[in-house]
């Protein structure tokens, strides 16, 4: 008899997409955006997709009230046996499953607790366990994302076997290598229950006394990806690899970068209900109204000739906040208006508050997380600043371009892959960039953009149109992921075949 692996069948590939956050239910950054949008595009490519994430207390009530309880069971986690409920909700045609455990997830925030290592070990174990309990979660591909789900491929291979589990191939995507889930190796026995599994003990250790969840996923997953081709190369270098560069080098054959997209329906200035006036690449008049409204909202002079620069993102060293602080006096002296929307490290929040006080007519610090305000800022600004130290992909610069706001970026990671620097000879480009992590270089890039805004309005509009015309939809990335999935399951013939770029 032929082994099932050699039987070629045409059917939908079943993908279970696991993420610790998923928009619109839960989001602290780009990972939530990706988990919210990529599954929709995977479905368009002919996959059957389900998404699994924690049932946080912070999920809005109008979603919670629609969830249906589809099962429960107990999850073994070392000496513990923990309740796990599975709640189900269909949203935009996708099946979402939520892992329910009040002790771990009914808290005010999503991350930042003393027991995060245990909480997400539970999440990873529970989702693998769920595959065996809930028929709708049977899958060919388990696609895990970042350290919070990194133990799932480890648990899957070490604790689960049989036809159902052996069929599951794992893909692990690194969204940010800075966060790896590194803990004392006491956790191996006390939480993970892996202390007697010598292969796992070996592969999870990153030094004598610590274990690293992400390293586990890099060792155990069938395929590893990250969120842009440039970041994939950078991760193999010590400067960017955060001590895992060797792991990425040794996976070279099964490690690639796939550039993220954005949800082009959610971020569409033509239909965005958060904007005071809609506009499109064909008619930019509404963007002027958005800028005026933003200037008023922020308490600035509503003057179309003032250059409005914005920043939306986490206030951390990664995002280049040091360069922004260093360049602030200089920018303010040139009459620029600027708004920063974000939360993060206290030092940077304090610096932003200080600048807000000092330059109150020109600078506003909005130290909050507000997606609607973010959309009004993307639409109402002229330049979007993203001088990141490193940037795995970055979505904000793509969203800004979609709203006709030209990005000023440092040439790193996904910023290289998504922003085409302006070429004053060919007139091509979708933004401005600089190479070194240096505030003077950042200011030069800002002023080369400002110069065009101040002196060549036709050229400026041309650049805006070029930026707005770039296709940042998810289809291209989804096609690349589906190619990976099918490489792992060659016996499944593609249900729908799309060509990249179609
Ligand atoms: P990250 O490194 O945080 O994932 P990305 O650029 O990939 O950065 O994604 C950030 C996402 O989070 C974007 O959609 C951005 O608009 C959103 N975002 C970040 N900070 C805020 C905030 N304070 N308020 C609203 N949205 C925010």
């Amino acid at each position: 008899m032929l082994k099932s692996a050699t039987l070629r069948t045409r059917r939908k590939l079943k993908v279970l997409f696991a993420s610790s956050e998923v928009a619109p239910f839960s989001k602290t950054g780009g990972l939530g955006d990706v988990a919210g949008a990529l599954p929709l595009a995977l479905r368009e490519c002919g996959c059957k997709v389900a998404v699994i994430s924690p049932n946080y207390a912070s999920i809005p009530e109008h979603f919670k009230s629609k969830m249906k309880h589809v099962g429960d069971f107990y999850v073994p986690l070392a000496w513990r046996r923990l309740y796990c409920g599975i709640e189900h909700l269909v949203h935009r045609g996708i099946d979402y499953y939520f892992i329910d455990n009040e002790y771990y997830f009914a808290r005010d925030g999503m991350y930042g607790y003393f027991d995060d290592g245990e909480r997400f070990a539970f999440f990873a174990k529970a989702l693998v366990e769920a595959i065996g309990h809930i028929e709708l979660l049977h899958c060919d591909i388990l696609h895990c994302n970042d350290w919070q789900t990194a133990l799932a491929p480890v648990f899957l291979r070490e604790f689960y076997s049989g036809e159902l589990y052996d069929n599951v191939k794992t893909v692990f995507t690194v969204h940010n290598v800075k966060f790896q889930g590194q803990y004392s190796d006491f956790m191996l026995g006390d939480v993970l229950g892996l202390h007697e599994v010598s292969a796992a003990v070996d592969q999870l250790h990153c030094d004598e006394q610590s274990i690293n969840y992400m390293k586990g996923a890099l060792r155990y997953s069938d395929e590893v990806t990250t969120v842009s081709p440039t970041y994939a190369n950078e991760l193999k270098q010590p400067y960017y690899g955060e001590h895992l560069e060797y792991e990425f080098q040794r996976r070279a054959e099964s490690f690639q970068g796939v550039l993220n997209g954005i949800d082009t329906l959610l971020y569409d200035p033509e239909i965005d209900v958060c904007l005071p006036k809609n506009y499109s690449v064909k008619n930019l008049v509404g963007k002027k109204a958005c800028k005026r409204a933003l200037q008023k909202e922020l308490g600035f002079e509503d003057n179309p000739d003032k250059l409005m620069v914005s920043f939306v993102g986490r206030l951390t060293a990664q995002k280049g906040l040091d360069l922004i602080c260093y360049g602030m006096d200089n920018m303010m002296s040139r009459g620029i208006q600027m708004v920063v929307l974000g939360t993060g490290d206290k030092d940077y929040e304090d610096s932003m508050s200080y600048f807000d006080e000092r330059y109150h007519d020109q600078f506003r610090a909005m130290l909050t997380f507000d997606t609607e305000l973010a959309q009004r800022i993307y639409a109402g600004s002229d330049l979007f600043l993203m001088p990141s130290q490193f940037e795995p992909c970055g979505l904000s610069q793509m969203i800004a371009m979609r709203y006709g706001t030209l990005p000023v970026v440092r040439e790193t990671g996904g910023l290289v892959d998504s922003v085409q620097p302006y070429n004053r000879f060919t007139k091509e480009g979708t933004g401005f960039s600089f190479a070194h992590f240096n505030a003077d270089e950042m200011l030069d890039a800002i002023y080369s953009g400002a110069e065009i805004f101040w002196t060549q309005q036709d050229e400026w509009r041309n650049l805006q149109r070029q930026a707005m015309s770039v296709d940042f939809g998810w289809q291209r990335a989804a096609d690349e992921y589906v190619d990976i999935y099918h490489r792992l399951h060659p016996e499944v013939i593609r249900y729908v075949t799309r060509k990249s770029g179609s």
Side-chain angles (χ1 to χ4, degrees):
M1 203 171 88
L2 282 172
K3 275 192 176 169
S4 63
T6 60
L7 284 174
R8 304 263 296 162
T9 53
R10 184 181 298 278
R11 65 174 173 84
K12 289 193 176 190
L13 206 63
K14 286 191 234 161
V15 180
L16 179 58
F17 195 88
S19 174
S20 60
E21 54 185 87
V22 47
F25 311 105
S26 50
K27 166 175 157 179
T28 66
L31 174 60
D33 281 325
V34 173
L38 174 59
L40 291 159
L42 291 172
R43 186 189 52 189
E44 293 301 304
C45 290
C47 295
K48 180 155 178 31
V49 193
V51 180
I52 193 158
S53 75
N55 190 13
Y56 298 110
S58 53
I59 295 176
E61 189 46 43
H62 64 275
F63 290 128
K64 287 223 177 214
S65 60
K66 290 193 195 118
M67 290 179 188
K68 292 221 158 49
H69 184 78
V70 291
D72 48 69
F73 45 85
Y74 282 83
V75 178
L77 200 65
W79 49 268
R80 302 165 189 78
R81 269 171 58 77
L82 300 157
Y83 169 84
C84 172
I86 302 286
E87 312 299 312
H88 173 237
L89 174 70
V90 179
H91 179 69
R92 289 169 85 179
I94 297 280
D95 287 294
Y96 291 90
Y97 294 88
F98 297 90
I99 299 269
D100 191 44
N101 176 298
E102 296 228 328
Y103 172 68
Y104 288 129
F105 300 128
R107 304 186 187 182
D108 292 343
M110 289 161 55
Y111 314 122
Y113 296 97
F114 75 99
D115 59 348
D116 277 359
E118 183 180 319
R119 295 169 71 223
F120 290 102
F122 166 75
F123 175 51
K125 191 81 182 284
L127 74 90
V128 178
E129 189 79 23
I131 295 172
H133 287 270
I134 311 282
E135 205 181 322
L136 293 163
L137 292 175
H138 292 182
C139 57
D140 303 298
I141 298 288
L142 172 60
H143 190 154
C144 296
N145 296 278
D146 269 355
W147 75 267
Q148 298 92 338
T149 52
L151 288 176
V154 181
F155 289 140
L156 177 76
R157 293 293 170 240
E158 294 299 356
F159 290 130
Y160 299 83
S161 58
E163 205 177 329
L164 177 69
Y165 282 111
D166 294 347
N167 175 57
V168 179
K169 300 283 185 224
T170 51
V171 176
F172 180 71
T173 299
V174 177
H175 295 257
N176 192 339
V177 82
K178 195 87 182 167
F179 308 105
Q180 301 178 0
Q182 203 165 317
Y183 297 99
S184 151
D185 68 353
F186 173 73
M187 301 270 287
L188 268 176
D190 189 56
V191 176
L192 314 188
L194 281 165
H195 56 301
E196 286 173 347
V197 183
S198 55
V201 170
D202 220 40
Q203 309 207 60
L204 282 167
H205 263 110
C206 56
D207 62 40
E208 268 175 32
Q209 283 157 12
S210 314
I211 56 165
N212 185 319
Y213 289 9
M214 188 175 274
K215 179 169 174 244
L218 299 182
R219 290 289 179 101
Y220 277 80
S221 302
D222 294 305
E223 186 82 23
V224 176
T225 73
T226 189
V227 290
S228 70
T230 298
Y231 193 54
N233 285 331
E234 289 173 347
L235 284 175
K236 294 177 201 149
Q237 303 162 21
Y239 180 80
Y240 293 100
E242 298 285 335
H243 306 291
L244 289 179
E245 56 276 8
Y246 175 65
E247 300 298 324
F248 292 107
Q249 288 165 20
R250 69 200 290 276
R251 290 298 311 243
E253 294 295 304
S254 49
F255 170 50
Q256 73 179 78
V258 178
L259 187 69
N260 280 340
I262 54 170
D263 188 332
T264 47
L265 262 185
L266 181 66
Y267 300 116
D268 182 354
E270 207 167 351
I271 53 171
D272 187 337
V273 292
C274 303
L275 306 189
K277 194 130 184 83
N278 291 112
Y279 58 94
S280 69
V281 65
K282 291 199 194 89
N283 184 353
L284 280 162
V285 175
K287 186 165 171 67
K288 290 202 170 107
C290 290
K291 176 170 174 181
R292 195 147 182 232
L294 182 65
Q295 286 173 320
K296 278 194 177 150
E297 182 176 351
L298 299 174
F300 297 162
E301 180 191 344
D302 62 344
N303 178 348
D305 298 332
K306 291 272 177 191
L307 182 77
M308 169 74 85
V309 178
S310 59
F311 171 96
V312 177
R314 290 179 288 115
L315 304 184
T316 62
Q318 176 201 333
K319 298 290 176 183
L321 265 290
D322 291 320
L323 301 194
I324 294 177
C325 291
Y326 190 88
M328 188 64 73
D329 293 336
N330 195 306
M331 286 189 279
M332 294 297 106
S333 73
R334 304 281 291 258
I336 288 172
Q337 295 177 336
M338 183 164 180
V339 56
V340 165
L341 169 63
T343 55
D345 297 352
K346 187 168 180 318
D347 282 357
Y348 293 126
E349 290 194 354
D350 290 347
S351 304
M352 293 302 121
S353 300
Y354 164 76
F355 289 127
D356 188 309
E357 233 177 272
R358 178 165 171 169
Y359 297 111
H360 200 67
D361 297 339
Q362 277 173 271
F363 181 83
R364 192 66 65 249
M366 308 295 277
L367 305 178
T368 173
F369 193 94
D370 182 338
T371 49
E372 293 187 4
L373 173 58
Q375 272 153 258
R376 293 198 296 279
I377 290 176
Y378 286 121
S381 319
D382 300 305
L383 283 181
F384 185 82
L385 193 51
M386 207 155 164
S388 305
Q389 215 166 28
F390 68 94
E391 194 58 73
C393 176
L395 301 179
S396 305
Q397 81 283 6
M398 297 188 205
I399 303 170
M401 284 185 261
R402 179 109 173 114
Y403 284 83
T405 297
L406 301 179
V408 177
V409 301
R410 186 170 99 80
E411 290 157 13
T412 180
L415 299 175
V416 174
D417 300 330
S418 59
V419 178
Q420 186 189 6
Y422 172 64
N423 180 324
R424 65 194 168 97
F425 301 107
T426 65
K427 310 290 183 200
E428 286 169 331
T430 58
F432 306 90
S433 70
F434 60 100
H436 301 106
F437 194 70
N438 172 304
D440 292 323
E441 281 195 29
M442 177 190 77
L443 290 171
D444 279 349
I446 292 173
Y447 296 139
S448 49
E451 204 57 41
I452 300 172
F453 176 82
W454 284 324
T455 62
Q456 304 171 55
Q457 271 295 314
D458 284 348
E459 184 59 11
W460 183 260
R461 271 188 294 278
N462 189 30
L463 277 171
Q464 284 181 309
R465 289 201 188 93
Q466 281 169 196
M468 291 176 83
S469 304
V470 180
D471 177 10
F472 285 122
W474 270 104
Q475 216 52 62
R476 171 203 39 77
D479 268 323
E480 290 183 47
Y481 281 116
V482 175
D483 284 344
I484 293 170
Y485 300 160
H486 277 275
R487 272 207 306 277
L488 296 173
H489 271 290
E491 80 285 5
V492 182
I493 302 166
R494 260 178 110 140
Y495 187 76
V496 175
T497 1
R498 283 173 171 273
K499 285 270 159 284
S500 286
S502 64

